Amino acid sequence: MLGWFKKRFSKNSPNADVAAEQHSQDLIEESFEPEEAVAADNSPSPSSANPTEELVPRDSTGDATTQPESEPIKTVAPATKQQENSGSGTESMFQRLSSRLNKTKESLVYRIDSLFLGKKEIDADLFDELEEILITADIGINTAMELLDDARKRVKRDALSSPIELKAVLKEKLRSFITDSDKAAELVMPEAGPFVIMVVGVNGVGKTTTIGKIAKKFKDSGQSVLLVAADTFRAAAVAQLKIWGERNKVQVVSKDEGADPSAVAFDAMDQAVAEDYDVVIVDTAGRLHTQVNLMEELKKIKKVMRKRLIGAPHEILLVLDATTGQNAVSQAKLFNEAVGITGLALTKLDGTAKGGIVANISRELNIPIRFIGIGEQIDDLRDFDPDQFINALFGDAPHHQ
């Protein structure tokens, strides 16, 4: 059984059949804006989609974010936990992660270091400046306040006396936010039948790219994989998934544009059971004509798959774009209300100074982060290791086990 796989996925999903409240629809509309020039998810055939029918996340400037698809896939086997924590290969992987987090380091760690430079005592002014640094790095207001409240209590108890000690406390508190959430991830795949992953997320976050890279991980680990193109509302989405199917040499189940997504998912369950597939990964729409329709469609797909295969989907993976910052938290809450998210994939961490969102998402949602994307190559979709992430962010050497 795969070490990284065994610990990362579950056949137990939260109850998802709860209707999202109307205020949720208002929030999700605030998070997205119409796409003007390109089809979302950077589809290979953007001209085949109606640009006015797609929504994409916004970055802090209001510009649509993108996920290039032109990079070739490296044929590499996924690293196991043991491989990631030993030998020179680990150092190289760690250094790569560390370098890809440079923008977040500049907005968070380097600014903290500059603040503390030459300071010999912890005072109110230092805390005020530290609060600004934490919030602008997208740690989140509530998470930042909890960090600072914990630090102030320690100062009052005389447990902290210097800014250097304060930095160590901040680091460990951030680590605890992430690791406390990650404890729920020690789960296993179903005893029998295919392991079904339903992937959700708005268009433009790199959802289909993430599916392709996850499929590659499974394929390289000896698992048979079936991809399912249940986003039937955009021909470009189906075409893009088929390209990933060709690259990975795996079959893609699809129907004509406009077909019922639930019917595609149902047929895929039939085929997966009949042909004894190990893993089924289902792509879904990121936007329908209204957000209410989107959530209702996702609920229907989930219900249909569960009717055909007990326990499916075993994992509901939400893909989020790290560059959207706090909007990612709002998205996660909305999708969780609708279908019950069991895991997260956070993309584009290499292109943002908002990497503090990792700690905020972990604390706010208590949903494990499964994968992080730190680049375009296949090995840049990494199994999320909280300790390695924090060490890379703060520039510490990895702890060999």
Side-chain angles (χ1 to χ4, degrees):
M1 187 73 67
L2 297 172
W4 66 272
F5 175 58
K6 186 176 181 180
K7 293 184 178 180
R8 288 287 172 189
F9 298 99
S10 166
K11 64 180 177 181
N12 299 318
S13 300
N15 181 16
D17 298 322
V18 180
E21 298 179 1
Q22 185 58 46
H23 76 276
S24 297
Q25 306 307 326
D26 297 334
L27 281 174
I28 200 167
E29 291 293 348
E30 292 174 3
S31 299
F32 316 118
E33 64 181 7
E35 182 179 357
E36 298 178 354
V38 296
D41 260 346
N42 303 299
S43 308
S45 306
S47 60
S48 62
N50 183 352
T52 62
E53 292 299 324
E54 305 303 331
L55 292 176
V56 299
R58 299 174 298 182
D59 60 20
S60 59
T61 65
D63 294 331
T65 58
T66 58
Q67 178 85 4
E69 291 293 338
S70 58
E71 294 286 352
I73 292 180
K74 291 183 179 178
T75 307
V76 293
T80 64
K81 287 289 183 184
Q82 183 176 4
Q83 290 170 334
E84 288 180 350
N85 291 319
S86 63
S88 59
T90 298
E91 184 177 3
S92 175
M93 296 277 280
F94 176 82
Q95 289 176 344
R96 185 172 179 81
L97 174 61
S98 182
S99 67
R100 294 305 179 92
L101 294 175
N102 267 342
K103 289 187 178 180
T104 297
K105 287 183 180 181
E106 290 171 2
S107 70
L108 179 61
V109 180
Y110 296 163
R111 290 181 66 194
I112 291 176
D113 288 340
S114 296
L115 173 63
F116 290 173
L117 185 64
K119 296 274 188 179
K120 295 184 178 179
E121 63 179 5
I122 301 173
D123 55 23
D125 289 340
L126 184 144
F127 273 117
D128 288 342
E129 293 184 59
L130 183 58
E131 178 181 330
E132 180 183 349
I133 291 171
L134 293 174
I135 292 175
T136 55
D138 260 32
I139 292 292
I141 294 177
N142 293 334
T143 302
M145 292 302 100
E146 184 172 339
L147 278 168
L148 295 174
D149 288 345
D150 180 69
R152 288 189 180 101
K153 290 176 183 177
R154 295 190 185 216
V155 170
K156 288 181 180 179
R157 296 197 305 263
D158 293 326
L160 287 178
S161 59
S162 73
I164 298 299
E165 293 173 336
L166 176 56
K167 180 183 175 182
V169 166
L170 292 173
K171 174 186 171 183
E172 291 310 310
K173 189 67 175 176
L174 285 170
R175 187 197 305 273
S176 73
F177 287 149
I178 301 172
T179 55
D180 286 351
S181 172
D182 200 49
K183 289 176 183 176
E186 299 294 322
L187 302 167
V188 297
M189 62 191 298
E191 294 179 0
F195 182 82
V196 181
I197 306 171
M198 177 179 171
V199 182
V200 301
V202 300
N203 293 336
V205 297
K207 177 160 52 76
T208 309
T209 298
T210 299
I211 290 172
K213 292 180 178 181
I214 293 173
K216 184 69 172 177
K217 282 178 173 285
F218 283 116
K219 185 84 180 323
D220 286 346
S221 299
Q223 307 291 312
S224 57
V225 180
L226 183 67
L227 299 182
V228 183
D231 182 0
T232 61
F233 297 92
R234 291 190 305 126
V238 177
Q240 185 183 6
L241 193 66
K242 286 183 176 179
I243 289 174
W244 278 103
E246 292 172 0
R247 289 175 176 176
N248 290 326
K249 294 181 172 57
V250 299
Q251 186 175 353
V252 178
V253 176
S254 66
K255 290 183 180 292
D256 294 336
E257 182 181 0
D260 182 357
S262 299
V264 180
F266 187 89
D267 290 348
M269 294 302 101
D270 273 342
Q271 182 173 338
V273 172
E275 299 180 12
D276 197 24
Y277 276 93
D278 296 316
V279 180
V280 181
I281 308 177
V282 183
D283 190 13
T284 61
R287 193 254 175 178
L288 301 185
H289 295 292
T290 70
Q291 297 305 336
V292 173
N293 283 347
L294 167 60
M295 298 307 175
E296 291 304 317
E297 188 63 55
L298 294 179
K299 292 178 191 176
K300 182 180 177 183
I301 293 172
K302 177 183 176 181
K303 183 177 180 180
V304 165
M305 286 195 293
R306 182 159 293 180
K307 181 179 292 187
R308 177 60 186 87
L309 183 64
I310 296 175
H314 308 96
E315 171 82 359
I316 301 180
L317 183 72
L318 173 64
V319 181
L320 297 171
D321 180 344
T323 65
T324 61
Q326 294 306 307
N327 279 344
V329 178
S330 297
Q331 290 174 32
K333 289 179 178 179
L334 291 164
F335 278 97
N336 194 39
E337 286 177 7
V339 293
I341 304 303
T342 60
L344 302 171
L346 201 59
T347 65
K348 308 180 190 178
L349 273 171
D350 58 314
T352 182
K354 301 177 179 181
I357 194 67
V358 171
N360 193 30
I361 284 177
S362 296
R363 177 188 171 278
E364 290 275 345
L365 303 174
N366 198 33
I367 299 173
I369 298 174
R370 311 294 196 193
F371 303 101
I372 56 172
I374 57 169
E376 298 304 318
Q377 300 299 319
I378 188 65
D379 54 336
D380 288 333
L381 182 70
R382 304 280 299 277
D383 294 352
F384 182 63
D385 183 324
D387 289 325
Q388 190 180 71
F389 178 83
I390 289 294
N391 287 337
L393 188 61
F394 280 82
D396 297 334
H399 297 157
H400 300 307
Q401 296 180 359

